[in-house]
Amino acid sequence: MTATGPTHRGVRLTAEPHVLRATLTSPDGLNSLSGDALDALGAALDRAEADPECRVLLLEGSGGTFCTGLDFEEAAGDPAGGASQAGRGGAEFLALMRRFGETPLAVVACVDGRAAGGGVGLAAAADLVIATERSEFSLPEALWGLVPCCVLPVLVRRTGFQPAYAMALSTQPVSARRAADFRLVDEVVPDPDAAVRRLLVRLTRLDPATIRELKQYFRAMWFTTEDTDAFALREFSRLIDSPVARRRITDYTTTRRLPWEKPRP
C-alpha cells in the first residue's frame, strides 16, 4: 500500500512497503536546497528510521530536475546576514550527508534529470545512485566564484581525485553513462522504480544494525572526519562572502543574469 503525504517545505513524502520516498518539489522547479528543504529531508530520515519496516530512504526530484544545490535566493539574504545564513545552510547540508553515512537505512538517490552543485553532493553521499539516461551531473560553483567545498569530500570518496577535480574545474555537465564510468552512478536504468524493487529483495533480508555496522566500518577506513567537515564549512563560508561570489549571486537574484552573461542594456 502506498500513502502519499502533503508536500512540506518543498519535500513530498510517500510511504511505500519498506520504502519512504522523499521527492524535492520546490515551486521554482529547480529543487534547490533551502533551509526548509534540508529540515524536511532530515525529518524524512527521522520518520524512516522510526518505522521498523522501512529499509530504504529514496531521494528523488521532480519536473526533470533532481536537485540544483544552494538556494541562491536564501544565500543572498540581506547584505549583513547573507553569509552567516549561507554558512548555517552549509552546516545543515554537511550534517545531513553525515547522517546518510550513519543511518541503519539504505539511502538511494534516484536521479532523473539535472543534478548540480549540492545535488551532486546528495547523490554522492547516498549509499546507491540510480540514474536515467537523460540525467547529467555538474559542479558549476566556480562560475559563481565558489568552490564545491561541502560536496568534494563525499564526491572524491566515490569517484577518486581526478574525476571530482575535473568536474569542479571544467564546470561542464557529465552524462549519466560517464558518471557511471567513474562510479558516481551505480546503475543507469530506464526504470528507477524497478531497480529499487530489485534492491529490496536483498535489503529487506538485512538487519538494520548490520547496515549501520557496515557503514561505520567503511567510514572508519576513509579520511573524512568532523575536522574535514569543519574545514569544508570554513572555506565555504569564506568564499561565499567574497566580493566575486556576493556580486554574482546578487546579480542573479535581482536580475536573473548568469555569471557568463553580459549586463543587459
Side-chain angles (χ1 to χ4, degrees):
M1 185 169 125
T2 298
T4 302
T7 299
H8 181 57
R9 297 181 176 181
V11 177
R12 183 177 65 248
L13 299 183
T14 306
E16 303 172 4
H18 307 296
V19 177
L20 182 64
R21 185 184 298 263
T23 307
L24 289 165
T25 57
S26 64
D28 60 8
L30 296 177
N31 295 336
S32 55
L33 291 173
S34 64
D36 281 348
L38 289 168
D39 287 345
L41 288 173
L45 191 50
D46 290 340
R47 174 174 164 178
E49 289 177 342
D51 180 355
E53 298 300 316
C54 189
R55 291 295 181 270
V56 172
L57 176 66
L58 180 68
L59 305 176
E60 64 181 7
S62 59
T65 299
F66 176 66
C67 174
T68 58
L70 180 68
D71 185 325
F72 279 152
E73 298 283 355
E74 189 171 271
D78 65 67
S84 61
Q85 188 173 17
R88 287 193 296 274
E92 291 170 0
F93 177 66
L94 285 167
L96 180 65
M97 291 197 297
R98 183 167 287 277
R99 283 194 68 189
F100 286 176
E102 297 171 348
T103 179
L105 303 169
V107 179
V108 178
C110 283
V111 181
D112 181 26
R114 179 185 175 203
V120 173
L122 282 183
D127 300 308
L128 298 165
V129 180
I130 297 167
T132 60
E133 286 279 5
R134 71 168 178 165
S135 301
E136 61 179 30
F137 301 79
S138 65
L139 295 179
E141 283 87 343
L143 295 169
W144 301 91
L146 298 170
V147 171
C149 303
C150 300
V151 171
L152 286 173
V154 291
L155 183 60
V156 171
R157 182 183 67 191
R158 259 194 169 268
T159 69
F161 179 90
Q162 185 57 30
Y165 179 69
M167 285 183 69
L169 181 63
S170 73
T171 73
Q172 293 179 336
V174 298
S175 68
R177 289 290 179 189
R178 177 63 182 139
D181 287 343
F182 54 69
R183 300 184 297 278
L184 173 55
V185 169
D186 294 293
E187 191 176 2
V188 180
V189 297
D191 183 357
D193 288 341
V196 172
R197 288 194 295 272
R198 288 196 302 273
L199 285 172
L200 282 171
V201 172
R202 294 286 180 160
L203 290 174
T204 52
R205 298 174 182 174
L206 300 181
D207 190 306
T210 303
I211 296 175
R212 188 194 297 275
E213 292 287 350
L214 180 67
K215 291 187 180 188
Q216 290 176 345
Y217 182 82
F218 270 83
R219 188 173 187 87
M221 293 193 295
W222 191 241
F223 73 89
T224 53
T225 64
E226 285 79 2
D227 289 340
T228 312
D229 287 354
F231 173 66
L233 185 57
R234 284 197 306 272
E235 290 300 289
F236 171 70
S237 299
R238 178 180 66 83
L239 288 166
I240 203 166
D241 202 30
S242 69
V244 171
R246 299 304 297 170
R247 183 181 70 251
R248 291 182 176 183
I249 291 172
T250 300
D251 282 349
Y252 177 74
T253 56
T254 56
T255 69
R256 289 296 184 253
R257 179 162 63 90
L258 296 167
W260 54 88
E261 293 179 335
K262 295 180 179 179
R264 297 182 179 95

